[in-house]
Amino acid sequence: MLFFPSRLALGLVATTSLVAAGPCDIYASGDTPCVAAHSTTRALYDAYTGSLYQVSRASDNTTTDIAPLTAGGVADAAAQDTFCAGTTCSIAIIFDQSGNGNHLTRAPPGGFDGPAAGGYDNLASATGAPITLNGQKAYGVLIEPGTGYRNDDTVGIATGDEPEGIYEVLDGTNYNGECCFDYGNAETSNTDTGAGHMEAIYFGDSTGWGTGSGSGPWIMADMENGLFSGENATYNAGDPSITFRFVTAIVKGEPNEWAIRGGDATSGPLSTFYNGVRPAGYNPMKKEGAIILGIGGDNSNGAKGTFYEGVMTAGFPSDDTEDKVQANIVAAKYGTSS
Ligand SMILES: *[C@@H]1O[C@H](CO)[C@@H](O)[C@H](O)[C@H]1NC(C)=O
Ligand SMILES: *[C@@H]1O[C@H](CO)[C@@H](O)[C@H](O)[C@H]1NC(C)=O
């Protein structure tokens, strides 16, 4: 958020002098601009008026695009409700708000397809994850096992050892221990091409690779062939179990440095759960630049979770930039719908 000095000079109370800057405006101010921005709940740029997502209805297989109610605002959930009245709708496309065209669509078959073996993954129900933002209704993306979104042909996403930042807001109470409720950078081939070929946020209580303190769920990094909770594979006490309904989760990486951060998306600051060197065998990274949501890099799709918003950046965002993004998320006032 930015203050208008002139208004402060006039002595108006601070709350009336706050100017909303969306998460991607904040990342741009920090010289780490969004190169992909996905949300079904709200615009992630102050000036964004384009489509947020597309729903497809079962009654006649037609589609409609859902936009924010105002520039930079909350999704027009009523438009979805009208279009989907008397039938069911699924989320067919989550549009990229960055202008790079990095839209997410139904994930194709991969090396390990789990419940959707041999075929494309399922689409999410358009009404599976209702919430409110500052009292206004919106819908998140409910990932059931077998559901997944992907883009293997992206623009501007980090490859190789290039730096990047990723955040998402998710439901901290909807998770499992299967692989993998991920959002972030993955293989362009939909197959496991080895250590260091991914850099994505994972959320859940899988104990097959890394774990943190308590019994989970944990925010971890999926760097391929492993979920990492800290410096070393397996247990890292610094990565806490998460108990918030709405969670802000962050993974970021640059040459031989990466970090996990997180917090309550409705209140308070972010904490850093790890910031240090790469695990052995992950320096340099071999990122490929595809984007996944709700699945692993090889399309492992046994996991569940709920996604509300997230971005990927060019460059390694500063903690200060991320802290400002967290303040914006808190101000958006995620809440459960009554
Ligand atoms: C919609 O498309 C699906 C998949 O192609 C098909 O099975 C279904 O019959 C179609 N429904 C209508 C109403 O056309
Ligand atoms: C990680 O493993 C290395 C090598 O075994 C060890 O020296 C280091 O102390 C470990 N770090 C943590 C945080 O446990």
Side-chain angles (χ1 to χ4, degrees):
M1 301 211 192
L2 303 171
F3 289 95
F4 273 140
S6 59
R7 290 201 179 180
L8 287 179
L10 290 172
L12 300 183
V13 297
T15 49
T16 66
S17 58
L18 291 172
V19 173
C24 288
D25 303 301
I26 295 166
Y27 278 113
S29 299
D31 289 326
T32 49
C34 295
V35 287
H38 302 112
S39 177
T40 57
T41 65
R42 64 176 184 138
L44 299 176
Y45 293 83
D46 237 9
Y48 189 77
T49 55
S51 298
L52 300 173
Y53 63 106
Q54 181 179 88
V55 293
S56 172
R57 68 183 175 200
S59 56
D60 61 2
N61 282 337
T62 60
T63 63
T64 197
D65 293 348
I66 306 298
L69 286 162
T70 56
V74 176
D76 186 358
Q80 174 184 313
D81 291 342
T82 300
F83 182 76
C84 301
T87 182
T88 57
C89 273
S90 55
I91 296 172
I93 304 173
I94 304 166
F95 292 107
D96 173 18
Q97 301 176 31
S98 79
N100 281 338
N102 293 325
H103 312 311
L104 295 174
T105 58
R106 183 193 295 261
F112 188 88
D113 297 323
Y120 276 67
D121 289 357
N122 301 320
L123 296 175
S125 161
T127 55
I131 49 92
T132 58
L133 279 176
N134 206 5
Q136 287 180 286
K137 183 178 179 184
Y139 293 104
V141 183
L142 179 70
I143 301 289
E144 305 270 19
T147 304
Y149 293 83
R150 193 169 195 125
N151 186 328
D152 286 328
D153 187 15
T154 63
V155 172
I157 303 297
T159 58
D161 207 26
E162 289 176 353
E164 71 179 343
I166 313 164
Y167 91 82
E168 68 177 310
V169 176
L170 56 85
D171 180 346
T173 66
N174 184 33
Y175 60 88
N176 68 13
E178 301 300 312
C179 180
C180 287
F181 180 68
D182 287 350
Y183 174 67
N185 195 320
E187 294 94 337
T188 55
S189 61
N190 314 312
T191 59
D192 177 356
T193 51
H197 284 252
M198 288 183 61
E199 185 167 76
I201 301 168
Y202 165 83
F203 186 78
D205 66 350
S206 165
T207 55
W209 295 281
T211 56
S213 62
S215 56
W218 304 283
I219 302 166
M220 295 193 276
D222 190 340
M223 296 193 224
E224 191 55 281
N225 289 327
L227 301 174
F228 290 88
S229 55
E231 179 174 351
N232 293 325
T234 71
Y235 174 69
N236 290 284
D239 199 25
S241 293
I242 300 289
T243 56
F244 309 119
R245 169 62 176 81
F246 295 100
V247 177
T248 305
I250 285 178
V251 165
K252 57 183 170 180
E254 63 179 347
N256 205 25
E257 180 177 0
W258 69 283
I260 304 174
R261 306 186 75 212
D264 181 344
T266 67
S267 150
L270 298 173
S271 299
T272 300
F273 303 145
Y274 177 72
N275 188 330
V277 297
R278 296 281 185 183
Y282 291 78
N283 178 38
M285 293 288 283
K286 304 178 183 71
K287 297 173 221 182
E288 297 190 25
I291 306 172
I292 52 172
L293 171 59
I295 51 177
D298 60 358
N299 195 41
S300 294
N301 57 17
K304 66 175 186 173
T306 309
F307 173 91
Y308 301 110
E309 61 176 72
V311 312
M312 299 170 70
T313 71
F316 187 80
S318 68
D319 287 359
D320 178 63
T321 295
E322 291 164 347
D323 294 346
K324 288 173 177 151
V325 169
Q326 164 69 359
N328 170 275
I329 294 165
V330 170
K333 289 193 166 61
Y334 272 93
T336 51
S337 55
S338 48

